[in-house]
Amino acid sequence: MRLHNKRALITGGSDGIGLAIAEAFLREGADALIVGRDTNKLDAARKHLGGNVETLSADLATSAGIAAVVEQEKKSARPLDILVNNAGVAFLVPFETVSEEQFQQSFALNVTAVFFLTQRLLPYLAASASVINISSYFANKMIPNRPSSLYSLSKGALNSLTKSLAFELGPRGIRVNAIAPGTVDTAMRRKTVDNLPAEAKAELKAYVERSYPLGRIGRPDDLAGIAVYLASEEAAWTSGGVFAIDGGYTAG
Ligand SMILES: NC(=O)c1ccc[n+]([C@@H]2O[C@H](COP(=O)([O-])OP(=O)(O)OC[C@H]3O[C@@H](n4cnc5c(N)ncnc54)[C@H](OP(=O)(O)O)[C@@H]3O)[C@@H](O)[C@H]2O)c1
């Protein structure tokens, strides 16, 4: 098992990509603490995962939520080997209509939470810890009729943070990488697509089918392999990378 005896914290581990990563980590022998807001979703995830799973309900878009996670870690007798900053929010709204509230919510979760959660967990990280940030292809590549200025800006900032932290924390032995998934079929994606008018939905479906060289969008589990690799000793010399896992989408 590639993550035997490792402890992992996965934000947004109760659904979608985070849940698939938690499942893969457990399969590889890790213990996991998963964080989300909705206790029902957390309970369902714990049942689904079985194994050594702790859950914590906290809103990471708030300082109190970040503090609650740090408090929980403080209580642990073992250092944290793997931190997956996965929880995120996507407002795909036209630039001219983005509200200050949406801007702040987006940055609070996609950037500020990653910055301060990682900073405040530093004293509890293992000497050779792996930090994995879940970014998005949207940092660099846009989709017609999917206005992404706010979301792209937040994920671009996350990529930049990934590289600067790899540089700053490397001398301590801490590795920092990001995974940039293509479109993945999760609740987040369904929420943004379900709001589209029927014609735009059909257009998007056709666009996706012709744009993904591998012919389909992703499943949450498609991100699990790279996450296990980055968390494991096999990636001992891998840091500062932003790994596109997207069925070839950004190759074009
Ligand atoms: N799906 C895609 O197509 C796609 C593509 C590229 C990148 N991504 C990125 O992948 C990551 C995961 O997305 P996903 O599609 O798997 O989303 P998802 O299925 O909607 O799951 C999001 C997870 O984050 C938790 N969460 C949301 N807001 C939170 C908050 N304020 N505090 C704590 N936990 C919170 C959710 O639980 P609660 O709701 O209970 O809090 C849930 O566990 C995000 O960073 C996203 O930007 C997604």
Side-chain angles (χ1 to χ4, degrees):
M1 288 200 285
R2 294 151 81 196
L3 304 178
H4 183 59
N5 270 343
K6 304 261 187 206
R7 280 194 61 243
L9 192 164
I10 301 145
T11 71
S14 60
D15 208 353
I17 294 169
L19 179 59
I21 290 175
E23 203 168 351
F25 282 3
L26 288 165
R27 257 197 318 267
E28 294 293 343
D31 299 346
L33 167 61
I34 59 174
V35 180
R37 291 163 302 176
D38 182 334
T39 49
N40 292 327
K41 263 158 72 175
L42 286 166
D43 288 346
R46 184 173 35 207
K47 264 192 210 133
H48 172 78
L49 292 167
N52 294 323
V53 182
E54 273 178 85
T55 60
L56 179 69
S57 168
D59 183 352
L60 288 163
T62 65
S63 307
I66 293 171
V69 179
V70 175
E71 276 310 305
Q72 179 88 359
E73 268 314 306
K74 255 188 208 171
K75 287 186 220 146
S76 169
R78 288 161 59 207
L80 189 63
D81 301 288
I82 308 156
L83 169 61
V84 184
N85 289 306
N86 162 75
V89 63
F91 292 108
L92 297 178
V93 290
F95 172 65
E96 61 271 30
T97 70
V98 173
S99 66
E100 278 192 39
E101 198 192 344
Q102 287 169 330
F103 191 99
Q104 270 147 17
Q105 277 180 32
S106 182
F107 265 70
L109 188 59
N110 295 3
V111 182
T112 312
V114 179
F115 192 104
F116 286 107
L117 186 65
T118 307
Q119 182 202 64
R120 289 171 193 168
L121 286 175
L122 275 180
Y124 312 105
L125 291 187
S128 59
S130 170
V131 177
I132 302 170
N133 298 326
I134 306 301
S135 183
S136 170
Y137 66 96
F138 261 126
N140 300 303
K141 181 153 174 158
M142 316 309 147
I143 298 192
N145 303 317
R146 299 284 275 160
S148 66
S149 53
L150 177 55
Y151 186 54
S152 293
L153 177 63
S154 70
K155 294 300 189 181
L158 183 60
N159 289 355
S160 174
L161 179 63
T162 301
K163 288 177 181 292
S164 52
L165 283 188
F167 203 78
E168 212 173 313
L169 301 182
R172 300 181 185 211
I174 296 173
R175 298 179 293 107
V176 186
N177 291 285
I179 300 171
T183 297
V184 182
D185 187 22
T186 65
M188 173 190 275
R189 196 231 174 204
R190 287 190 287 272
K191 206 159 38 182
T192 61
V193 170
D194 285 352
N195 292 335
L196 295 174
E199 199 181 314
K201 220 184 274 185
E203 239 172 61
L204 180 64
K205 186 169 179 287
Y207 172 80
V208 162
E209 279 164 7
R210 66 173 186 272
S211 308
Y212 278 75
L214 289 176
R216 65 167 176 86
I217 63 165
R219 297 184 283 265
D221 198 37
D222 287 319
L223 284 312
I226 181 89
V228 169
Y229 166 72
L230 290 174
S232 75
E233 309 295 333
E234 291 159 45
W237 207 52
T238 304
S239 196
V242 177
F243 296 88
I245 304 295
D246 60 10
Y249 177 59
T250 54

